[in-house]
Amino acid sequence: MSIDIRAHLPSDTSAATNRAVTEVVQGMQGSQILAIATAVRAMQAEGKQVCNLTVGDFKPTEFPVPERLVEGIQSAVAAGQTNYPPSDGLPVLRQAIADFYKRDLGLDYGPESVVVCSGARPVLYGTWRLFTNPGDKTVSFLPAWNVGYYAHLNQTDHHFIRTSPETNFFPTVEQVKEVLPNTRLMVINSPLNPTGTVIDPAVLQGIAQAIVDENNARGDAPPCMLMWDAVYWQLTKDSHPYKSPVQLVPEVAPYVIHIDAISKAFAATGLRVGWAVMPPYLQPKMKALIGHMGAWAARPEQLATAALLNDAESIETYNRWMKGAIDARLDTLYDGISAMKAKGLPVDAIAPQGAIYLSFRVKLEGKTNEDIRALLLNEAGMAVVPFQAFDLNEDSGWFRISIGAVGAEEIAPMLKRLEATITKAVGA
Ligand SMILES: Cc1ncc(COP(=O)(O)O)c(C=O)c1O
């Protein structure tokens, strides 16, 4: 006989939840992007034609992971590689990551600077835990992915600084200088989710130098750390080559935590291998934190990732293919939207520069972003995410397009539906 647990549970679940959990957890929000994606899947299940441009993920049939990863995982499991890895990652993987950074970026950090974990998120959260106390000043720029959730969880005095399309949604050096005093943690992500833009190296250099100057002036007071979220760094257009702030201003190295993963560059979001490359004087603290969280990556995935990263030729081939597949989608979307703009329709987009995203704007008189999102979904079968989901809480007309889950052939018919929808909305 089994015990029916439901008979013993409170009937008013939300009141019971709020009584049980902390205030911080009560205030936690779920992902708005995932909520929209769930609604889209429900429409698809009803047989409606929807081009799903919402999730920052990949459809494995469109973007399979490199063969080498699959083989490496399978053979590691078969060989009995199934016990705990060290909490900062297998030495062979930490060495492979250090070699990869030296080979591709000219940054000689050494394996003692690397902490491996299950995707980028644990080191991202770990960075907040390492450097912030509740009430500390933290800074990020709008729009950006998920920073608000982490600021809330860590109860910091968070400053969101608004950027503009004219600067590709990145801050200016002046904005950074203004907000730097007393800041403990600054978060910058490039290539940027949700905009698909890449920070201008001259601006990044100015920002890195400003952080060095600020920290020199602080003396013994805690420094400002820079969380440099570069999970999309391998996915830039050739016209916008990636630069780390440490390449541009080596003196900033003591303050920079690089956040990286196989999730996006190798379409391997579900395999959960990420890492931080950071100053070695801080590495043991991150290692301890990841160990206590138990957020290490699975051992077979670590071994397979090490083999992949050591194989420069495989990476090069895969990267060329992947960028071609991304371009085939983003460029078609950008060209289609630009053609509509040229016809006088109230749409706009920023030419793609990196990652798997496109900034897309629709301006319709008297319509909120939510009105427009619903119109695009219901009339054009085009599912996109408003910038409100990236903490830009205004009806700016800006949306994120993400191409990882769509086939290239879905885009042209969707653009036709979009043009018809906008033409009708303007005429109405
Ligand atoms: C900018 C950025 N950083 C970090 C992550 C997290 O990556 P992971 O899935 O490896 O945790 C994402 C995922 O969407 C992202 O867009």
Side-chain angles (χ1 to χ4, degrees):
M1 213 188 87
S2 61
I3 297 171
D4 181 1
I5 298 300
R6 279 152 297 213
H8 299 276
L9 297 181
S11 49
D12 184 349
T13 34
S14 77
T17 306
N18 282 341
R19 243 192 344 266
V21 302
T22 64
E23 265 174 45
V24 172
V25 171
Q26 282 178 33
M28 221 163 56
Q29 287 181 346
S31 164
Q32 293 180 52
I33 305 169
L34 294 185
I36 295 172
T38 306
V40 170
R41 273 194 290 275
M43 278 180 76
Q44 285 172 327
E46 284 168 23
K48 299 211 172 98
Q49 198 176 26
V50 185
C51 190
N52 187 359
L53 301 163
T54 60
V55 286
D57 198 358
F58 302 93
K59 204 183 204 170
T61 46
E62 298 291 337
F63 289 92
V65 300
E67 260 306 299
R68 234 176 176 304
L69 270 183
V70 179
E71 286 160 10
I73 292 166
Q74 285 170 344
S75 61
V77 174
Q81 295 280 357
T82 49
N83 58 316
Y84 283 131
S87 54
D88 56 353
L90 292 169
V92 66
L93 176 54
R94 291 169 58 215
Q95 184 68 54
I97 291 166
D99 291 347
F100 181 42
Y101 268 49
K102 192 167 169 188
R103 192 174 70 226
D104 275 43
L105 302 173
L107 293 176
D108 185 4
Y109 267 94
E112 65 277 16
S113 304
V114 179
V115 176
V116 174
C117 60
S118 54
R121 281 173 178 84
V123 277
L124 201 149
Y125 178 66
T127 302
W128 283 84
R129 294 294 295 170
L130 241 54
F131 304 116
T132 68
N133 285 311
D136 278 352
K137 181 176 174 186
T138 53
V139 173
S140 67
F141 304 92
L142 292 172
W145 171 85
N146 272 15
V147 182
Y149 302 140
Y150 291 100
H152 172 78
L153 271 179
N154 290 283
Q155 295 287 288
T156 61
D157 171 23
H158 193 69
H159 296 238
F160 283 114
I161 310 293
R162 182 182 310 239
T163 63
S164 75
E166 289 71 38
T167 56
N168 284 331
F169 292 109
F170 285 105
T172 62
V173 180
E174 290 66 35
Q175 281 180 308
V176 168
K177 282 186 177 163
E178 198 174 312
V179 76
L180 256 179
N182 302 318
T183 296
R184 285 290 283 119
L185 179 66
M186 180 170 286
V187 180
I188 303 182
N189 161 228
S190 174
L192 180 60
N193 179 4
T195 61
T197 52
V198 172
I199 194 166
D200 178 343
V203 173
L204 182 57
Q205 183 168 4
I207 291 172
Q209 189 58 53
I211 291 173
V212 171
D213 295 344
E214 167 72 19
N215 287 340
N216 285 344
R218 281 191 197 182
D220 287 338
C224 172
M225 304 300 295
L226 174 61
M227 181 160 91
W228 174 247
D229 182 346
V231 290
Y232 298 96
W233 74 265
Q234 294 180 68
L235 304 179
T236 57
K237 285 253 188 198
D238 293 344
S239 52
H240 289 78
Y242 167 77
K243 288 282 176 208
S244 151
V246 179
Q247 288 171 290
L248 299 167
V249 180
E251 297 78 13
V252 83
Y255 315 115
V256 176
I257 315 294
H258 294 84
I259 305 290
D260 203 350
I262 61 167
S263 306
K264 311 292 175 162
F266 301 108
T269 49
L271 296 182
R272 310 312 296 150
V273 180
W275 56 85
V277 176
M278 57 196 294
Y281 77 101
L282 295 167
Q283 193 272 4
K285 296 293 183 197
M286 186 70 97
K287 172 183 177 175
L289 197 55
I290 295 298
H292 295 323
M293 288 158 64
W296 43 77
R299 182 181 272 262
E301 275 78 348
Q302 291 200 35
L303 287 166
T305 302
L308 175 67
L309 295 184
N310 284 332
D311 184 349
E313 211 178 295
S314 268
I315 295 183
E316 159 84 28
T317 308
Y318 184 84
N319 184 254
R320 218 176 312 115
W321 169 80
M322 175 114 178
K323 291 212 277 192
I326 292 171
D327 284 354
R329 292 160 175 79
L330 286 181
D331 291 350
T332 309
L333 281 158
Y334 177 70
D335 292 347
I337 293 164
S338 302
M340 287 177 219
K341 183 182 173 186
K343 287 181 192 166
L345 293 177
V347 293
D348 205 352
I350 298 181
Q353 300 171 359
I356 54 171
Y357 308 114
L358 187 73
S359 300
F360 167 51
R361 189 178 211 192
V362 180
K363 274 306 245 184
L364 289 174
E365 203 55 42
K367 295 256 188 276
T368 65
N369 276 14
E370 181 49 29
D371 297 337
I372 296 168
R373 186 193 72 78
L375 178 80
L376 295 178
L377 182 61
N378 297 326
E379 307 266 315
M382 177 188 195
V384 291
V385 180
F387 274 15
Q388 275 100 335
F390 306 96
D391 287 319
L392 187 63
N393 292 320
E394 61 185 32
D395 288 311
S396 61
W398 284 103
F399 295 84
R400 180 185 83 170
I401 285 178
S402 174
I403 54 78
V406 295
E409 75 292 343
E410 289 178 63
I411 291 172
M414 187 280 295
L415 283 168
K416 275 210 181 109
R417 299 194 298 268
L418 173 66
E419 181 162 350
T421 302
I422 302 289
T423 307
K424 189 170 147 208
V426 173

